[in-house]
Amino acid sequence: MDNKVHIFDTTLRDGEQVPGCQLNTIEKIEVARQLEKLGVDVIEAGFPISSPGDFNSVVEISKAVQNPTICALTRAVKKDIEVAADALKFAKRGRIHTGIGTSPYHIKYKLNSNEDEIVERAVEAVKYAKRFVEDVEFYAEDAGRSDNEYLARVVEAVIKAGATVINIPDTTGYCLPAEYGAKIAYLVNNVPNVDKAILSTHCHNDLGMATANTLSGVINGARQVEVTINGLGERAGNTSLEEVVMAMKAHHDLDYQTGIDSKQIMKTSKLVSTLMRMPVQANKAIVGRNAFAHSSGIHQDGVLKNRENYEIIDPAEVGVKESSIVLTARSGRAALKHRLHVLGYEFEGPELDDVYNRFLDLADKKKDVADEDLEALAGTEIEKKDRSVKLESLQVISGSSTIPTATVAVNFNGDVFTETASGNGPIDAAFSAVKSLVKRKVHLEEFLIQAITRGSDDLGKVHVQVEHKGHTYYGFSANVDIITASVEAFLDAISKIG
């Protein structure tokens, strides 16, 4: 059996059915062109009879792309098929995708019909579509819950009528992987003319098994997979293109080939996410923000020693520049030292220990420690190397009905002195206490507070400028506690006075 697996992308049809994800024609063309760069074999561009907008999108996408087959969806209704054929008139390679429900639920309750009539309607639809295009795909809606023997009867009939691709949808996402794979295998082994068509998967993710079911279908003989970017689609979504493609690529022993340029995956994912205004969950496989991120100290150490310790896919293969070491309270010294090295800072021994301890204090207060935070920590450490004056402890009392008071303990070359003072606010009170301790006439000329990143829990950076006997001195510090950062910056400036 041929090991080429055809990639049928339905982001612009099934994916666009997600509430709030509708695109205009220009946006659809942009996505279609990116799908062409990605290397998909088939683009399902829309359901032409559903609206003038969908009809126009199929027309314009047919004009805009050259390599993929352009597919239009229909019901097993002549008018649907005629409109689809008209929409595909500019397609270099056009396909009509028609079909009907084959499960007992659909036959009885949705279509109010019987098995024999459904076979007749399926055959009639395929034959009619064949008048307009050579490439006709038939979908047996709700095949996942259809009786296998009856499903085989339908498949044999529509292949005989001219269908070139047979779609076996798990429309409700009900099947288990072994069950869906067995269904494909049953058709391969029990439909006499199955070799005259390609079997296709179309799996929904209602129970979280769309990718597993799709792969099971391929292993058992399907050679087309119907997928969407980021797994978009009705209800819980469709099979994710990126997951199926990279699963086959990672498992070399399966020996399946696709025409996908995997380095375009992340770019395509971001484009679809942006245009459809549908964020990708952080832990989404392959394209999620955390897919190649490591925050555990054990994992970070392992990845730094050899990427393959914890990564089965090279991030570059999907268009991600590199893995990210996310620094949290669970990160170890190795990860911190590595990230500081990347940022241009080299610390060893006691200096590294000091940075690491302050890093842990910060990490306990924040969810993640960003590069900007590390820059501030490293800068503070550099400033502290020759510092003989440092903050030992700080306690402030402040409130709408309380006089702001600060108690400051400062270490002067190993000796600790404490002072308490009040002021117009907690920072003014703390500065007053420091001035009493240092016994020097200093004038605060500039006081600047900046948020390094964003959010109420993020690191604040403080710059101060003080004047003493006609000379200017600068101080710097950073801390999630802005009052602490202010006092440390003030002391930093004072410590530089000769």
Side-chain angles (χ1 to χ4, degrees):
M1 181 179 284
D2 182 12
N3 280 354
K4 167 68 186 293
V5 177
H6 299 267
I7 305 298
F8 177 115
D9 185 275
T10 185
T11 302
L12 296 175
R13 199 278 300 171
D14 206 332
E16 207 214 11
Q17 292 175 192
V18 177
C21 286
Q22 287 67 45
L23 303 176
N24 60 40
T25 300
I26 293 174
E27 291 169 330
K28 286 185 178 182
I29 290 172
E30 187 176 356
V31 172
R33 284 178 171 156
Q34 181 57 35
L35 291 173
E36 183 174 32
K37 290 180 184 177
L38 181 61
V40 304
D41 299 286
V42 184
I43 296 175
E44 188 163 49
F47 186 2
I49 203 168
S50 65
S51 72
D54 245 33
F55 178 91
N56 188 55
S57 293
V58 175
V59 171
E60 296 304 322
I61 290 170
S62 297
K63 296 176 183 177
V65 300
Q66 298 297 315
N67 296 321
T69 294
I70 305 301
C71 180
L73 185 73
T74 81
R75 296 165 297 184
V77 175
K78 285 188 175 182
K79 183 62 176 177
D80 281 27
I81 294 168
E82 291 167 0
V83 172
D86 190 28
L88 290 168
K89 60 188 175 185
F90 295 106
K92 188 175 179 180
R93 282 178 293 277
R95 174 186 295 181
I96 291 177
H97 189 187
T98 190
I100 197 167
T102 57
S103 72
Y105 302 94
H106 282 230
I107 293 172
K108 181 177 180 180
Y109 300 111
K110 178 182 175 181
L111 301 168
N112 192 28
S113 186
N114 58 70
E115 290 185 349
D116 291 338
E117 184 182 352
I118 292 299
V119 174
E120 291 175 9
R121 290 175 63 179
V123 168
E124 182 181 7
V126 170
K127 285 183 175 179
Y128 195 63
K130 202 75 174 178
R131 294 184 184 183
F132 301 98
V133 293
E134 182 59 33
D135 191 2
V136 176
E137 179 171 346
F138 174 82
Y139 63 84
E141 190 174 9
D142 204 20
R145 295 188 296 174
S146 297
D147 173 73
N148 285 352
E149 188 175 342
Y150 176 66
L151 184 61
R153 176 186 165 196
V154 175
V155 170
E156 180 180 359
V158 295
I159 292 176
K160 186 177 180 181
T164 52
V165 181
I166 307 298
N167 180 9
I168 308 300
D170 182 23
T171 306
T172 60
Y174 174 76
C175 288
L176 298 173
E179 180 184 9
Y180 186 77
K183 190 176 289 287
I184 297 294
Y186 183 89
L187 297 176
V188 169
N189 295 321
N190 291 277
V191 176
N193 56 356
V194 72
D195 60 312
K196 292 181 170 58
I198 295 173
L199 293 181
S200 178
T201 67
H202 182 109
C203 299
H204 281 259
N205 205 38
D206 297 70
L207 294 177
M209 291 182 285
T211 295
N213 285 341
T214 296
L215 291 169
S216 183
V218 171
I219 290 169
N220 283 280
R223 286 298 177 266
Q224 177 179 279
V225 292
E226 304 195 4
V227 292
T228 62
I229 301 299
N230 300 335
L232 290 171
E234 287 275 5
R235 304 181 310 280
N238 286 44
T239 304
S240 165
L241 179 149
E242 56 274 10
E243 292 175 15
V244 171
V245 168
M246 295 313 296
M248 291 191 290
K249 193 167 185 177
H251 287 269
H252 306 288
D253 55 307
L254 294 177
D255 195 29
Y256 296 126
Q257 289 84 43
T258 72
I260 295 296
D261 177 3
S262 63
K263 290 182 174 60
Q264 292 287 330
I265 284 177
M266 185 58 73
K267 182 178 180 181
T268 310
S269 169
K270 288 180 178 179
L271 176 67
V272 170
S273 175
T274 299
L275 293 181
M276 288 191 166
R277 297 163 290 281
M278 179 61 69
V280 177
Q281 67 189 63
N283 65 328
K284 166 76 172 64
I286 312 300
V287 294
R289 185 177 69 250
N290 294 340
F292 298 100
H294 306 276
S295 65
S296 160
I298 295 173
H299 285 221
Q300 290 172 342
D301 182 60
V303 167
L304 291 173
K305 289 175 178 174
N306 187 319
R307 179 187 62 76
E308 293 184 354
N309 280 329
Y310 288 102
E311 288 183 354
I312 59 172
I313 297 169
D314 185 342
E317 289 188 21
V318 297
V320 177
K321 186 177 180 181
E322 61 183 357
S323 305
S324 60
I325 300 296
V326 180
L327 296 176
T328 70
R330 280 141 315 272
S331 299
R333 279 179 173 78
L336 176 62
K337 182 179 179 181
H338 167 77
R339 195 61 202 165
L340 287 169
H341 170 74
V342 170
L343 294 173
Y345 299 97
E346 302 294 341
F347 293 109
E348 299 287 348
E351 289 178 4
L352 178 60
D353 291 341
D354 187 59
V355 174
Y356 181 64
N357 289 332
R358 289 190 292 111
F359 158 77
L360 288 179
D361 288 339
L362 177 61
D364 279 335
K365 298 170 185 175
K366 294 188 62 176
K367 293 180 180 179
D368 298 322
V369 180
D371 284 349
E372 295 90 343
D373 301 328
L374 293 183
E375 293 269 10
L377 288 176
T380 302
E381 179 62 27
I382 291 170
E383 291 287 342
K384 284 176 60 181
K385 284 183 179 179
D386 300 317
R387 189 180 297 172
S388 58
V389 180
K390 64 180 181 179
L391 180 66
E392 192 73 22
S393 67
L394 170 67
Q395 182 178 9
V396 296
I397 299 172
S398 182
S400 60
S401 58
T402 302
I403 297 174
T405 305
T407 299
V408 179
V410 178
N411 187 316
F412 292 93
N413 297 313
D415 295 321
V416 179
F417 299 89
T418 303
E419 184 67 59
T420 299
S422 59
N424 292 327
I427 293 176
D428 183 50
F431 281 13
S432 295
V434 170
K435 289 177 183 178
S436 296
L437 283 171
V438 299
K439 296 180 171 59
R440 283 175 174 170
K441 291 184 178 180
V442 294
H443 175 65
L444 182 65
E445 292 191 331
E446 185 176 281
F447 176 63
L448 177 65
I449 299 175
Q450 292 176 297
I452 290 179
T453 47
R454 60 182 183 272
S456 60
D457 65 340
D458 279 330
L459 203 62
K461 182 168 59 176
V462 176
H463 289 271
V464 300
Q465 178 181 323
V466 302
E467 185 271 331
H468 175 69
K469 293 183 178 180
H471 295 283
T472 300
Y473 302 91
Y474 298 91
F476 164 85
S477 188
N479 199 295
V480 289
D481 184 334
I482 202 63
I483 301 175
T484 299
S486 300
V487 176
E488 286 179 340
F490 192 44
L491 286 170
D492 183 34
I494 290 172
S495 69
K496 295 171 184 176
I497 299 174

